[in-house]
Amino acid sequence: MENLIALLVAAPLLGAAVLLCGGRRLDRSGHWLGTVLAAASFVIGVVLFLDMLGRSADDRALHQHLFSWIPVEGFQADIAFQLDQLSMTFVLLITGVGTLIHVYSIAYMEHDERRRRFFGYLNLFLAAMLLLVIADNYLLLYFGWEGVGLASYLLIGFWQHKPSAATAAKKAFLVNRVGDIGLSIAIMLMFTTFGTFAFGPVLSSVGETGEGTLTAIGLMLLLAACGKSAQVPLQSWLGDAMEGPTPVSALIHAATMVTAGVYLIVRSGAIFNAAPNAQLAVVVVGAVTLLFGAIVGCAKDDIKKALAGSTMSQIGYMILAAGLGPIGYVFAIMHLVTHGFFKAGLFLGAGSVMHGMNDEVDMRKYGGLRTYMPVTFVTFGLGYLAIIGFPGLSGFFSKDKIIESAFAKGGAEGWILGGVALLGAAITAFYMTRVMLMTFFGEKRWQPDAEGQPPHPHESPKSMTIPMVILAFGSVFAGGFFSIGDRFLNWLEPVTGYDHGHAPISAATVTGATVVVLLIGVFLAWAMYGRRPVPVTAPRGSLLTRAARRDLLQDDFNHVVLVRGGEHLTRSLVYVDHTLVDGVVNGTAASVGGLSGRLRKLQNGYARSYAVSMFGGTAVLIAVTLLMRAV
Amino acid sequence: MSATAVHSLWTTAAEPIDRIKAPDIEYAQLAPVLIIVGAAIVGLLLEAFLPRKARYHAQVFLTLLALAASFAAVIGLAQAGYGTSKVNIAAMGAIAIDGPTLFLQGTILLASVVAVFTFAERRLDPEAHGNRIDSFAAQAASVPGSEGEKAAVRAGFTTTEVYPLVLFAVAGLLVFPAANDLLTLFIALEVFSLPLYLLCALARRKRLLSQEAAVKYFLLGAFSSAFLLFGIALLYGYAGSVSYARIADVVDGSVRTIDPVLADTMGNDALLLIGGALILMGLLFKVGAVPFHMWTPDVYQGAPTPVTGFMAAATKVAAFGALLRLLYVVLPGLSWDWRPVMWAVAIVTMLGGAIVAITQTDIKRLLAYSSIAHAGFILAGVVAVTPKGVSSVLFYLGAYSFVTIGAFAVVTLVRDAGGEATHLSKWAGLGRRSPLVAAVFAVFLLAFAGIPLTSGFSGKFAVFSAAAEGGAGALVVVGVISSAIAAFFYIRVIVLMFFSEPKADGPTVAVPSGMTVAAIGLGVVVTLVLGVAPQYFLDLANQAGTFVR
């Protein structure tokens, strides 16, 4: 059975190779090939999953050793896979949502002449992402990590003729590099500390290692997670990444790739458990990002950017949960999975709306779309209810658990984190209601597009709506299915461990509070956007609103601190290079050249001078020889 | 003088003839040398008896045949185990037949074959009066610029004596690294030096420069021979013998019997130290080490270019062989005394050669200084005083010979109306006009610079790692710095050839005959093979790295 693991990666990898190398012959059929191979990978995943269910909880992990990449004494780099419950969860999410989005893209990208290439990149992404989650060592994980970064770069910049898309792709790539450096340093530290890359030996020998080293490794892993999962301070790329085609935003920048940071932290849980300071940094990052993303989401008029802020915020919840240690690992992953469903559904819904509205993204130019796009409205609405945590839907169960866990951390830390999580839930309800109201309710504020064509909103074709419907099912039922009888907890606990914590207040109280803040958020949004007409041009807004529209000044901060600072640093380095380094180099060259010119004069062509030189040399030779003996 | 004394002299002389013991000569083991000497004498006879027209072909054929036969003899001896298991001291203790001897003799012979190819080139210059001409003077005895010279050119004379001269020189070179006593060493030195002095004077063009070079070489060579000979005398005074083994025994104290005649001098360390230093100086002169190098640029520039290539390769190989044997067989017990001095010589040689080369404007002088710098690199391997030091030097010498001869062969191709265009400014843009020739020359320059995938890198790596293992880390540092300096002027020539505009009145590249093509081609092939897959040859040098004593 374990021999199937490699096929998980091989199927989409084959698709990527064929589609990207196949040339125009595949233009007409390439998207089918890509979709079938993604589905094949999903089927393999399901087969492996059923097989795994058939075994006892302690015996579920599968290992496959493909080959030794660099078999050197003391440096073993293996291409080997490990499929345990945690990896299995990701495999099903990635291949399942991935397949749905492949299907959706067939219609969405129908008029794009580079559709074959698009599917090639999507397959490449699937292969890299699967490699990331089934690797059995950090080096191979790093390979997949870089692979998804590449796929993300290619797909954000897919419409590279648009300068904004090209810039956004570059920005995403560069910001991710910062995080990747963290991962590479962490891996180097691991190798010098543990002498291996493999999860098993590294994580099991944590106990014999000093806390300082573990804290360093943990912080570097956190840096990597911040880059890939768009957490403060490396969050700036995610909003711009919405320049990519909407299916890409749904798959990569909502459901899967951006959650890789959560995977990394949960997978490395043993390291964080033993390094409380690194763990504290994780929860701080999670809490800050949770609020940061939510506030940004409140102010954005671009539907995709509002959703991007929401993604950031929801991943903040996951990171927060992951930073809580064994109390939160399971719920981080559970929220990750439910979020995968409803956020992908929301993005696909947004794409469906854009599809019907001449690719308009400004929500102030939507309004009243619920009757024109009933399927989109219902599925988007279910996703909306799920994300705000409406009782009974997926998000309710998973988010509620995270808030409970935050309180259960205990002490002042627990109260603060719990309060932040609750506040975040209120803001989430606010901005998602705002999106819902501005898009589907109120009067029509439709504007003609650049060519003067008024939009004719219509429902999207079946191949787009069916994936949305399926994801909506997940949005509604997944959370309940996971939570009832603690199914998900029992499933993951053997891998991640679990701890109840010390809840200062009862779970029912937390749930009640969550529902209350949810209602407050919804009501506020209705008061501002439902009761009053929405102006087509955005009002000036308060200082906070304006700052939030500018992504809370993240780019301004980066520009002033990093870009300007970098420029100054570069300039001073160039100055040092020109004066000091070049001075030394040129000075050396000049002095050697001058020496050469002077020595050359000794070669005057007279045999007598040469003879003197030989005689003198011999005299010195003898003198030194005798002297050496004398001393 | 009394009558009885006279009588006793008479009777002594009249002792029966069987009192003189005939020496045992192992002719088979000396075959490489004997073949060459015999062929040289036959060559002289050919000069005397063959008609002028027939001499060129006969001499070239004879020379190559002799070199090939001699090389075959070397291979035969090596196959018979004389390099490894059956090492021997032949000819009554005069010649050592061991690994280094055979390896170096083989190298010298191969280098000589390649050099003779360039000697025999007759296509580079246009025919003069219907006669093909080579690099050598029409008639060596005629005064440059005289009527007699013009008549000789008109008559189509050529100096085919160069071939017997080369053979005599090769004979001396073969004996030099094999010499196992100081007198044989000295005689071998003179046997190869005298023909070389003559060969240097035989350039067809720029004859005055050539003759000046020969006279300087002769004067300074004689000067250094005098030092060498004096050193031999002192060492004899110290040890009572000229035999390497005997001197070594006295040096390390295993022989204490004192010859009554030499009672005042034997075992006197001052004699040993001064004599050793003087002999070292004589050998360092031949390898061109600073400060005994000053003849090198003038002679390399003035001598006919094929002769320069021959000298730069074969002479250096033989001289380093003799130096190795002297230091490793005769004076190992003294290494604490000579190592610091040799360190210093190696350092100034590496730096001096590399630094002065920077400001050279003539390609032949540039290559001369380059050869000085390389002598320094090889010395770094010599002072290692380990078996690895010996084998690395052997490998370096083999690799370096082919690069050198090839490079000088390329120099013969680039010509203008005045013969070879050796001024560097004329080489500007050569890569545009003759990409192949420039590319080949670039390969040789990269090998000189020690860039990986060329033999220069393998060789340098070998000597430097041997030096480092031998405890001469500082020497390696200086060596690497010198290599960096040297890389500058090698690369500069490449830049000049490929990235400068060609001059309007620039030189042309002559189309050579197969002879020069073979010499250059062999150079390139050996350079690349020793650079890419040096292991076989390193192993060979390792096997050959032990001296007999």
Side-chain angles (χ1 to χ4, degrees):
Chain A
M1 190 52 74
E2 56 266 18
N3 293 333
L4 282 179
I5 298 176
L7 287 180
L8 281 174
V9 178
L13 196 62
L14 174 75
V18 170
L19 291 174
L20 294 178
C21 306
R24 293 174 189 284
R25 275 159 295 170
L26 292 170
D27 273 353
R28 295 163 60 87
S29 59
H31 48 280
W32 289 115
L33 178 70
T35 310
V36 165
L37 285 171
S41 193
F42 177 64
V43 170
I44 297 167
V46 170
V47 169
L48 284 166
F49 175 63
L50 294 176
D51 175 68
M52 187 180 277
L53 283 181
R55 273 171 290 144
S56 73
D58 298 330
D59 187 32
R60 282 181 170 162
L62 284 178
H63 294 271
Q64 183 184 13
H65 184 271
L66 211 55
F67 59 92
S68 287
W69 178 29
I70 307 175
V72 182
E73 181 67 34
F75 185 99
Q76 293 290 332
D78 290 342
I79 304 294
F81 306 126
Q82 169 187 321
L83 191 71
D84 58 7
Q85 290 92 321
L86 181 61
S87 301
M88 193 71 239
T89 313
F90 272 88
V91 166
L92 291 178
L93 177 73
I94 295 162
T95 53
V97 176
T99 306
L100 292 178
I101 284 170
H102 272 76
V103 173
Y104 178 89
S105 304
I106 292 172
Y108 191 84
M109 299 298 283
E110 192 169 9
H111 304 295
D112 197 302
E113 59 190 16
R114 292 161 73 232
R115 180 164 63 165
R116 170 181 57 81
R117 184 179 292 265
F118 180 81
F119 275 82
Y121 291 158
L122 277 188
N123 273 1
L124 178 66
F125 168 76
L126 281 190
M129 188 73 204
L130 288 166
L131 190 64
L132 197 166
V133 296
I134 64 172
D136 95 325
N137 60 72
Y138 281 98
L139 202 64
L140 193 58
L141 177 146
Y142 187 66
F143 192 78
W145 190 271
E146 293 296 316
V148 294
L150 169 70
S152 163
Y153 166 79
L154 292 170
L155 285 166
I156 295 171
F158 187 72
W159 288 320
Q160 65 221 41
H161 53 270
K162 286 199 296 183
S164 57
T167 314
K170 271 189 255 176
K171 186 175 177 184
F173 195 78
L174 285 176
V175 176
N176 266 293
R177 294 310 304 165
V178 179
D180 296 349
I181 287 170
L183 185 53
S184 56
I185 293 176
I187 293 175
M188 291 178 217
L189 280 174
M190 281 176 202
F191 183 70
T192 52
T193 312
F194 306 108
T196 174
F197 305 110
F199 291 146
V202 167
L203 298 176
S204 60
S205 49
V206 158
E208 303 134 32
T209 313
E211 196 186 315
T213 313
L214 293 175
T215 305
I217 295 175
L219 290 177
M220 286 299 117
L221 289 174
L222 175 63
L223 181 65
C226 284
K228 197 60 81 192
S229 296
Q231 299 293 295
V232 176
L234 296 179
Q235 80 290 0
S236 65
W237 63 275
L238 186 62
D240 296 278
M242 297 300 125
E243 289 290 342
T246 306
V248 172
S249 309
L251 176 62
I252 301 183
H253 303 120
T256 54
M257 185 192 85
V258 287
T259 60
V262 183
Y263 172 77
L264 185 66
I265 292 177
V266 173
R267 175 60 82 193
S268 315
I271 293 174
F272 286 96
N273 292 345
N277 291 324
Q279 219 167 25
L280 181 66
V282 175
V283 288
V284 169
V285 164
V288 169
T289 312
L290 185 173
L291 292 179
F292 188 102
I295 293 170
V296 170
C298 293
K300 290 286 180 186
D301 291 330
D302 179 326
I303 185 168
K304 284 179 70 181
K305 294 204 168 166
L307 290 177
S310 157
T311 304
M312 212 185 276
S313 168
Q314 297 300 314
I315 297 172
Y317 271 110
M318 300 170 209
I319 296 278
L320 170 68
L324 295 173
I327 311 175
Y329 289 139
V330 173
F331 305 120
I333 300 299
M334 188 162 111
H335 192 56
L336 190 153
V337 175
T338 56
H339 175 258
F341 284 116
F342 54 69
K343 187 51 68 63
L346 288 170
F347 265 108
L348 293 190
S352 173
V353 171
M354 287 159 59
H355 201 64
M357 292 293 286
N358 294 347
D359 287 332
E360 180 59 66
V361 291
D362 188 348
M363 293 187 293
R364 293 186 183 276
K365 297 171 185 167
Y366 292 164
L369 288 174
R370 63 183 181 279
T371 47
Y372 296 88
M373 305 176 144
V375 182
T376 305
F377 168 64
V378 171
T379 55
F380 194 94
L382 289 172
Y384 154 74
L385 290 176
I387 193 172
I388 64 172
F390 193 79
L393 272 69
S394 288
F396 168 76
F397 292 103
S398 54
K399 196 188 289 180
D400 188 55
K401 283 288 185 195
I402 291 179
I403 298 172
E404 279 175 30
S405 309
F407 279 112
K409 180 75 179 172
E413 200 185 333
W415 283 105
I416 295 171
L417 294 175
V420 167
L422 264 183
L423 180 61
I427 306 177
T428 307
F430 174 81
Y431 69 75
M432 280 315 298
T433 310
R434 175 176 174 268
V435 169
M436 198 68 199
L437 291 174
M438 284 172 86
T439 304
F440 292 103
F441 294 89
E443 74 279 30
K444 301 168 191 167
R445 301 178 301 274
W446 308 345
Q447 305 287 321
D449 65 4
E451 286 136 31
Q453 297 288 321
H456 297 287
H458 55 85
E459 190 51 87
S460 297
K462 281 274 188 321
S463 70
M464 286 168 71
T465 52
I466 290 174
M468 288 153 62
V469 170
I470 297 175
L471 287 171
F473 267 97
S475 310
V476 175
F477 299 112
F481 178 78
F482 290 159
S483 286
I484 294 165
D486 286 336
R487 281 201 185 94
F488 203 77
L489 181 60
N490 295 335
W491 163 251
L492 266 192
E493 195 194 342
V495 181
T496 60
Y498 178 65
D499 180 7
H500 287 287
H502 322 279
I505 43 178
S506 71
T509 319
V510 174
T511 309
T514 311
V515 174
V516 170
V517 298
L518 156 76
L519 292 176
I520 294 171
V522 171
F523 174 77
L524 280 178
W526 175 78
M528 285 176 71
Y529 298 96
R531 212 173 44 169
R532 297 196 295 247
V534 177
V536 175
T537 48
R540 194 171 137 77
S542 69
L543 204 61
L544 180 64
T545 312
R546 274 177 283 153
R549 279 193 197 128
R550 288 178 69 89
D551 300 301
L552 289 178
L553 307 181
Q554 61 181 16
D555 290 336
D556 307 75
F557 176 82
N558 287 349
H559 187 76
V560 172
V561 176
L562 299 180
V563 176
R564 291 266 177 75
E567 277 173 357
H568 283 297
L569 187 66
T570 312
R571 248 180 255 145
S572 35
L573 283 179
V574 166
Y575 177 77
V576 170
D577 185 46
H578 277 180
T579 52
L580 204 67
V581 178
D582 285 8
V584 170
V585 170
N586 292 339
T588 311
S591 52
V592 170
L595 189 62
S596 176
R598 248 166 282 147
L599 286 178
R600 196 182 166 194
K601 296 218 177 75
L602 292 177
Q603 192 79 24
N604 56 12
Y606 293 117
R608 55 176 188 257
S609 312
Y610 299 177
V612 168
S613 153
M614 286 164 58
F615 185 81
T618 314
V620 172
L621 209 66
I622 292 171
V624 173
T625 315
L626 291 177
L627 202 66
M628 293 306 294
R629 175 57 69 94
V631 290
Chain B
M1 189 178 286
S2 70
T4 48
V6 170
H7 177 75
S8 88
L9 279 175
W10 275 107
T11 49
T12 307
E15 285 291 324
I17 202 82
D18 59 7
R19 292 281 302 273
I20 298 176
K21 195 166 177 291
D24 293 324
I25 305 293
E26 295 82 347
Y27 291 101
Q29 293 170 35
L30 300 178
V33 183
L34 296 178
I35 290 169
I36 298 293
V37 174
I41 293 168
V42 172
L44 282 185
L45 293 174
L46 291 183
E47 280 300 313
F49 294 110
L50 271 189
R52 210 177 269 282
K53 292 281 177 199
R55 286 181 202 164
Y56 168 79
H57 288 106
Q59 291 286 17
V60 171
F61 177 75
L62 174 70
T63 308
L64 290 175
L65 186 70
L67 291 171
S70 178
F71 185 70
V74 169
I75 296 291
L77 287 175
Q79 290 291 340
Y82 281 100
T84 48
S85 53
K86 281 205 291 187
V87 293
N88 187 27
I89 293 179
M92 308 293 286
I95 303 281
I97 308 291
D98 57 11
T101 294
L102 292 178
F103 190 94
L104 292 170
Q105 286 185 339
T107 308
I108 292 167
L109 288 166
L110 284 179
S112 305
V113 169
V114 181
V116 166
F117 283 151
T118 62
F119 276 58
E121 177 62 56
R122 296 201 298 173
R123 291 271 175 80
L124 298 177
D125 272 322
E127 295 187 356
H129 311 287
N131 298 304
R132 286 184 177 167
I133 54 179
D134 55 18
S135 305
F136 300 100
Q139 194 176 26
S142 62
V143 178
S146 67
E147 279 305 316
E149 184 190 39
K150 283 172 193 155
V153 172
R154 265 198 304 280
F157 290 178
T158 50
T159 311
T160 42
E161 289 89 344
V162 293
Y163 299 102
L165 286 174
V166 162
L167 285 178
F168 277 121
V170 170
L173 293 170
L174 293 183
V175 175
F176 201 46
N180 200 44
D181 66 47
L182 292 170
L183 279 182
T184 312
L185 179 82
F186 178 70
I187 290 170
L189 174 81
E190 293 304 322
V191 166
F192 77 75
S193 293
L194 290 169
L196 283 178
Y197 300 147
L198 284 176
L199 285 169
C200 286
L202 289 179
R204 177 175 284 266
R205 314 255 190 175
K206 299 174 188 157
R207 285 190 64 198
L208 285 174
L209 194 65
S210 170
Q211 293 183 352
E212 182 194 332
V215 171
K216 279 182 186 166
Y217 192 19
F218 172 65
L219 285 175
L220 296 171
F223 193 50
S224 82
S225 291
F227 281 107
L228 181 80
L229 208 48
F230 190 34
I232 291 172
L234 292 179
L235 273 195
Y236 177 75
Y238 167 78
S241 168
V242 290
S243 155
Y244 281 6
R246 173 85 179 170
I247 298 171
D249 287 342
V250 177
V251 169
D252 61 26
S254 51
V255 171
R256 295 221 164 265
T257 52
I258 296 202
D259 191 334
V261 182
L262 295 169
D264 292 340
T265 58
M266 261 191 88
N268 183 335
D269 275 358
L271 292 185
L272 169 68
L273 293 174
I274 297 173
L278 289 174
I279 294 176
L280 271 185
M281 176 269 171
L283 296 177
L284 289 174
F285 172 83
K286 283 295 170 196
V287 304
V290 178
F292 316 107
H293 68 291
M294 301 192 86
W295 60 277
T296 317
D298 292 16
V299 174
Y300 276 24
Q301 186 185 16
T305 307
V307 175
T308 311
F310 174 64
M311 277 198 299
T315 313
K316 196 156 276 191
V317 174
F320 267 112
L323 187 62
L324 277 177
R325 192 176 294 279
L326 186 75
L327 294 178
Y328 282 67
V329 175
V330 186
L331 303 175
L334 218 55
S335 68
W336 286 109
D337 292 291
W338 59 257
R339 275 188 87 187
V341 182
M342 291 297 287
W343 266 55
V345 171
I347 287 174
V348 293
T349 306
M350 288 190 276
L351 284 176
I355 289 175
V356 183
I358 288 178
T359 41
Q360 298 306 315
T361 51
D362 184 282
I363 189 76
K364 283 171 79 177
R365 285 184 87 83
L366 181 85
L367 291 177
Y369 280 104
S370 142
S371 90
I372 293 169
H374 280 278
F377 298 142
I378 303 174
L379 281 176
V382 170
V383 299
V385 208
T386 56
K388 204 180 164 201
V390 178
S391 63
S392 71
V393 169
L394 295 182
F395 179 83
Y396 198 115
L397 289 170
Y400 177 74
S401 314
F402 285 92
V403 184
T404 305
I405 301 183
F408 279 108
V410 174
V411 171
T412 64
L413 299 183
V414 182
R415 307 177 84 87
D416 60 12
E420 291 162 9
T422 55
H423 199 275
L424 265 182
S425 65
K426 300 202 170 156
W427 286 58
L430 192 72
R432 311 256 178 107
R433 217 173 293 155
S434 312
L436 182 63
V437 171
V440 166
F441 198 60
V443 169
F444 291 137
L445 289 172
L446 292 175
F448 280 135
I451 305 296
L453 299 186
T454 64
S455 59
F457 175 75
S458 322
K460 235 177 226 178
F461 187 78
V463 290
F464 284 168
S465 56
E469 283 174 25
L475 215 51
V476 176
V477 172
V478 175
V480 172
I481 292 174
S482 312
S483 300
I485 298 173
F488 167 75
F489 58 80
Y490 294 128
I491 307 290
R492 192 178 59 144
V493 175
I494 295 179
V495 171
L496 191 70
M497 289 194 299
F498 287 98
F499 301 103
S500 309
E501 284 302 315
K503 288 199 170 173
D505 59 342
T508 53
V509 170
V511 179
S513 69
M515 293 282 199
T516 306
V517 172
I520 297 174
L522 263 173
V524 172
V525 168
V526 172
T527 302
L528 294 181
V529 168
L530 291 190
V532 175
Q535 200 52 50
Y536 173 77
F537 301 93
L538 283 170
D539 291 345
L540 201 63
N542 263 329
Q543 286 171 19
T546 316
F547 285 101
V548 65
R549 178 172 157 182

